[in-house]
Amino acid sequence: MHGSEGGIGLGGKSGASLMGSDLYNNLTKYFVNHLQGLREVAETLQDEALLRYYAAEWDRYTTGANYINRLFTYLNRHWVRRERDEGRKNVYPVYTLALVQWKACLFIPIQRQQKLAGAILRLIENQRNGETIDQGLVKKVVDSFVSLGLDETDTNKACLDVYKEHFEGPFIETTETYYNHESESFIASHSVSDYLKKAEERLKEEEDRVDRYLNTGTRKPLISKCEAVLIRAHSELMWDSFQNLLDFDKDEDLQRMYSLLSRIPEGLEPLRKKFEEHVKKAGLAAVSRLVGESASRGEGGDAVEPKPYVDALLEVHRKNSDTVTRSFRGEAGFVASLDKACRDFMNRNAATGTSNSKSPELLAKHTDLLLRKSNKVAEEGDLEGALNRVMILFKYLEDKDIFQTFYTTRLSKRLIHGVSASDESEASMISKLKEACGFEYTNKLQRMFTDMSLSKDLTDQFKARMEQTHDDIDISFSIMVLGTNFWPLNPPGHDFIIPQEMQATYDRFQRYYQMKHSGRKLTWLWNYSKNELRTNYTNQKYILMTSTFQTAILLQFNRNDTLSLDELHIATSIPKDHLVQVLALLTKAKVLVSEEAGQYDLNPNFKSKKIRVNLNQPIKSDTKAESTEVMKTVDEDRKYVIQATIVRIMKARKTMKNQALLDEVISQLTQRFTPKVPDIKKAIDTLLEKDYIERVDGTRDTFAYLA
């Protein structure tokens, strides 16, 4: 029954059924008559007065309907249930009947001109404009819209049809219109920063509105519409102003912009691209400043020092990493943009030029300085933190094998010269590299420490043997026997005449080692050896710390007062070009004097503030040779690594097309270095020649593995 006074027609029913039918029909008439009076009053009212009257009468009516429903429990339980079971869906339990009549006799007639919904929407607009409204009143009326929804199949089931049709639809439309107008006018007279705050506030207000007096089902369409109007419609403007916020470190505004744009599809992607470009520019600019400062000091662009270089790159990373964490909540897309930008400026900048070895070299040299005894960071106790910061940049190196070779070379020198800050720090760094690149990457490094330990034992055993058999030994002697495969050390490329003062000890150790390890060959690395000499010719006795080549030169003056360059060359076999550089260090330190060109004398008036005088300084040509030697080693190693990778892949796959093989090799090696396609093709040709693989008959670009 929807608003009519006609009764339920029941033919051929028992007296009880007829009584139930009469009772139901009379109850319907009662509801209709009551509501007719309410409707007449309601039609005279407008806006808030209408809402107050409607809400008060709704409260009174539903309370009464509850009482009547209980009173007619028997009717509901028997007659109404039987009627509905027989398919008469227009028969309702008494409370539902009351709601059906309210909807038909009062709600629909009033709402026909949108009077009720219109009054609510005007109140909501007033609230949006800053006025205080009776939220409880709005909630009561809105809740009545929900209650009036009826599921014909199940009267107990909630149905939002009435709420959606009469309130939610118009509400969403007016919301769109309101915010379209407001956002356009606000942007025209305010900054983007102000608009971000405004949009954030408005979205929060709408979220609160749902919680206070709307049905929770409205949240999704309402917020979606607000996001479309407040964010998507003005996203271009936000994207365009993003760079300015980054340049001036406007953290709060960046947080707001991220928070807003993350709510719409693809809203963040333009920001990620701009952020990547921003970080890249910052990194390149930082290195360009360093190169410029070096050039202004007359050092040239190649003379960038490791520490300022690493510090500059770390500062760019730190600042932008903080921005990602603080302003972009560590979102994965922004982390990826930061990583990509850092990888770009780390490997290609004003200091590296076209070289792919400069960044790995500078980072390895910086790490070397950190791990030396003379380093202040080690003294301050923040060495572990400094090594962790090195690993941040290490992650971005494309050619990690170049870093590995430089690092291995520098580690070998720290160990040989005993200048490591501590074994714990060395072990910590190796552990970090192992975690980043795997066991194979650090295998040689760990073997170097094993050799050092074995060498210490060997020295102790040799000394004990000499004390038993040669009590005339008057030279303090220690030896390091290092495995050729694990140490990046090369013997001098020239002959060397051992000074007679050292010859006896040299011969004795040679014999001792051959007796202990027959079949092994010792190659003496005089270019890495060092000595200490006592001065007996000066009033103040000094200890001179020298290289073995310096020692060989100075010991000649035990038997001669003055010597020429030619005589020293004949006595030591050191090539003249290298000999000149060694002599230059000794004359600069004033241990030797050269009053005539090519003639050298011992300086009897030598003086120094220190008792222990370190003369063993690096020669520039050695430093340059190190870089050349490292790159030569790297190129050689890469050939074998590429070949080994191809063999490993082919062994697993058996047959493979050329392009797929190239892609797989690049994929497997990218973590260590980026192999060049021509190098991979050369490796394939080499393996074809060596019969590791063969071309499949009848094809031009397919290879098969040969077991």
Side-chain angles (χ1 to χ4, degrees), residues 352-364:
T352 64
T354 55
S355 166
N356 62 338
S357 66
K358 194 66 179 174
S359 266
E361 179 181 357
L362 287 168
L363 189 61

Side-chain angles (χ1 to χ4, degrees), residues 13 42 205 246 299 301 339 383 473 491 511 532 547 568 656 669 698:
K13 292 286 182 181
E205 283 173 20
L246 279 176
E299 296 169 357
D339 288 346
L383 183 53
I473 191 164
R511 286 194 296 273
E532 289 185 1
S547 70
L568 286 168
M656 221 172 172
L669 292 178

Side-chain angles (χ1 to χ4, degrees), residues 695-700:
R695 290 187 194 277
V696 174
D697 289 341
T699 66
R700 291 180 59 197

Side-chain angles (χ1 to χ4, degrees), residues 156-172:
N156 294 317
K157 197 173 173 184
C159 176
L160 295 174
D161 288 355
V162 173
Y163 173 80
K164 287 187 179 209
E165 180 188 345
H166 293 280
F167 175 74
E168 187 178 272
F171 171 65
I172 299 293

Side-chain angles (χ1 to χ4, degrees), residues 324-452:
V324 170
T325 305
R326 199 170 49 241
S327 302
F328 310 137
R329 300 176 193 168
E331 193 262 345
F334 281 97
V335 172
S337 294
L338 174 68
D339 288 346
K340 191 168 184 300
C342 289
R343 193 171 294 110
D344 277 354
F345 72 65
M346 175 86 193
N347 294 285
R348 286 165 289 280
N349 55 51
T352 64
T354 55
S355 166
N356 62 338
S357 66
K358 194 66 179 174
S359 266
E361 179 181 357
L362 287 168
L363 189 61
K365 284 180 176 176
H366 176 71
T367 313
D368 175 55
L369 293 170
L370 288 176
L371 290 167
R372 284 175 174 266
K373 280 179 183 172
S374 56
N375 179 39
K376 288 180 183 175
V377 176
E379 293 167 14
E380 291 164 6
D382 189 32
L383 183 53
E384 188 64 19
L387 295 178
N388 284 333
R389 289 190 286 278
V390 165
M391 292 309 296
I392 290 172
L393 295 185
F394 175 79
K395 177 176 80 169
Y396 298 123
L397 286 177
E398 287 177 355
D399 296 292
K400 292 183 173 66
D401 58 336
I402 296 177
F403 174 91
Q404 178 193 29
T405 311
F406 272 110
Y407 184 85
T408 307
T409 304
R410 292 296 174 123
L411 171 61
S412 68
K413 290 179 181 176
R414 288 198 299 279
L415 295 179
I416 288 168
H417 300 308
V419 292
S420 277
S422 71
D423 286 349
E424 290 78 11
S425 299
E426 294 285 4
S428 173
M429 187 62 196
I430 289 173
S431 171
K432 294 179 200 302
L433 292 171
K434 184 177 178 180
E435 190 178 331
C437 296
F439 168 77
E440 199 177 317
Y441 191 86
T442 56
N443 187 26
K444 283 186 180 180
L445 306 179
Q446 288 169 321
R447 284 300 298 264
M448 288 162 74
F449 282 92
T450 306
D451 281 355
M452 291 301 293

Side-chain angles (χ1 to χ4, degrees), residues 165-310:
E165 180 188 345
H166 293 280
F167 175 74
E168 187 178 272
F171 171 65
I172 299 293
E173 282 177 29
T174 55
T175 298
E176 181 179 15
T177 305
Y178 181 87
Y179 284 130
N180 261 328
H181 178 262
E182 184 188 69
S183 61
E184 291 292 347
S185 58
F186 191 90
I187 282 172
S189 57
H190 293 78
S191 68
V192 173
S193 294
D194 290 337
Y195 179 72
L196 293 172
K197 286 180 196 168
K198 185 73 173 173
E200 190 176 60
E201 286 167 9
R202 285 306 202 187
L203 285 163
K204 189 173 185 311
E205 283 173 20
E206 296 306 319
E207 292 270 9
D208 290 345
R209 196 179 319 287
V210 175
D211 293 336
R212 289 195 173 126
Y213 52 74
L214 303 180
N215 183 267
T216 53
T218 302
R219 185 185 306 275
K220 192 173 178 181
L222 171 62
I223 300 305
S224 178
K225 182 61 72 178
C226 289
E227 286 170 351
V229 175
L230 295 172
I231 305 171
R232 189 181 292 114
H234 304 290
S235 56
E236 291 275 356
L237 181 71
M238 295 188 200
W239 294 335
D240 291 344
S241 63
F242 178 66
Q243 187 61 53
N244 189 52
L245 300 183
L246 279 176
D247 291 341
F248 291 97
D249 299 325
K250 298 283 186 71
D251 279 341
E252 285 186 16
D253 291 336
L254 286 170
Q255 286 171 31
R256 283 194 189 95
M257 187 177 284
Y258 168 81
S259 179
L260 291 171
L261 288 170
S262 65
R263 301 171 76 130
I264 64 170
E266 301 304 314
L268 294 176
E269 192 52 35
L271 299 193
R272 294 188 192 111
K273 287 176 182 169
K274 285 175 184 282
F275 180 66
E276 182 185 323
E277 199 55 38
H278 171 79
V279 176
K280 187 177 170 182
K281 278 184 184 171
L284 293 173
V287 177
S288 293
R289 277 195 299 275
L290 276 182
V291 172
E293 287 165 12
S294 291
S296 66
R297 292 194 298 268
E299 296 169 357
D302 288 342
V304 174
E305 290 296 314
K307 187 177 187 308
Y309 180 76
V310 169

Side-chain angles (χ1 to χ4, degrees), residues 480-677:
M480 295 178 198
V481 178
L482 312 173
T484 309
N485 293 335
F486 307 114
W487 292 74
L489 307 173
N490 294 310
H494 55 81
D495 291 336
F496 175 64
I497 298 171
I498 301 166
Q500 63 188 49
E501 291 87 345
M502 295 162 58
Q503 187 69 48
T505 307
Y506 168 82
D507 291 338
R508 285 168 184 170
F509 184 78
Q510 280 277 74
R511 286 194 296 273
Y512 173 76
Y513 191 78
Q514 289 304 326
M515 181 185 73
K516 197 171 175 66
H517 302 286
S518 63
R520 287 192 190 176
K521 184 190 173 189
L522 285 177
T523 303
W524 289 78
L525 304 177
W526 301 113
N527 44 334
Y528 293 100
S529 303
K530 58 183 182 177
N531 310 90
E532 289 185 1
L533 300 173
R534 276 196 304 272
T535 61
N536 296 321
Y537 63 93
T538 52
N539 293 329
Q540 170 68 57
K541 298 291 183 275
Y542 296 104
I543 294 173
L544 305 179
M545 294 181 282
T546 58
S547 70
T548 297
F549 293 152
Q550 290 173 331
T551 300
I553 292 167
L554 292 174
L555 288 176
Q556 302 306 315
F557 289 94
N558 277 341
R559 295 172 288 283
N560 302 278
D561 293 329
T562 182
L563 287 160
S564 69
L565 180 65
D566 288 336
E567 287 169 332
L568 286 168
H569 168 60
I570 292 163
T572 61
S573 268
I574 301 170
K576 284 188 181 177
D577 56 345
H578 191 71
L579 187 60
V580 167
Q581 294 184 63
V582 178
L583 286 165
L585 283 172
L586 294 174
T587 51
K588 186 181 177 184
K590 297 181 180 174
V591 175
L592 296 180
V593 290
S594 178
E595 292 172 355
E596 294 177 44
Q599 204 67 29
Y600 297 89
D601 301 302
L602 206 57
N603 179 13
N605 301 316
F606 172 75
K607 285 183 181 174
S608 172
K609 291 178 182 177
K610 295 179 179 177
I611 300 297
R612 293 175 65 83
V613 183
N614 184 16
L615 302 175
N616 191 5
Q617 301 298 328
I619 293 171
K620 281 187 180 177
S621 63
D622 290 349
T623 311
K624 284 181 183 173
E626 180 196 24
S627 296
T628 311
E629 199 62 44
V630 163
M631 288 315 298
K632 191 176 168 186
T633 305
V634 167
D635 289 342
E636 204 59 37
D637 285 349
R638 282 185 177 181
K639 286 179 192 172
Y640 296 119
V641 168
I642 293 171
Q643 287 177 28
T645 305
I646 293 169
V647 170
R648 192 164 55 245
I649 293 166
M650 291 303 298
K651 190 174 182 181
R653 304 286 181 85
K654 303 306 179 195
T655 62
M656 221 172 172
K657 284 190 176 292
N658 182 56
Q659 191 55 51
L661 180 57
L662 291 175
D663 293 343
E664 186 62 26
V665 170
I666 291 168
S667 169
Q668 289 199 17
L669 292 178
T670 299
Q671 280 297 314
R672 190 167 175 184
F673 65 93
T674 307
K676 297 184 179 80
V677 172

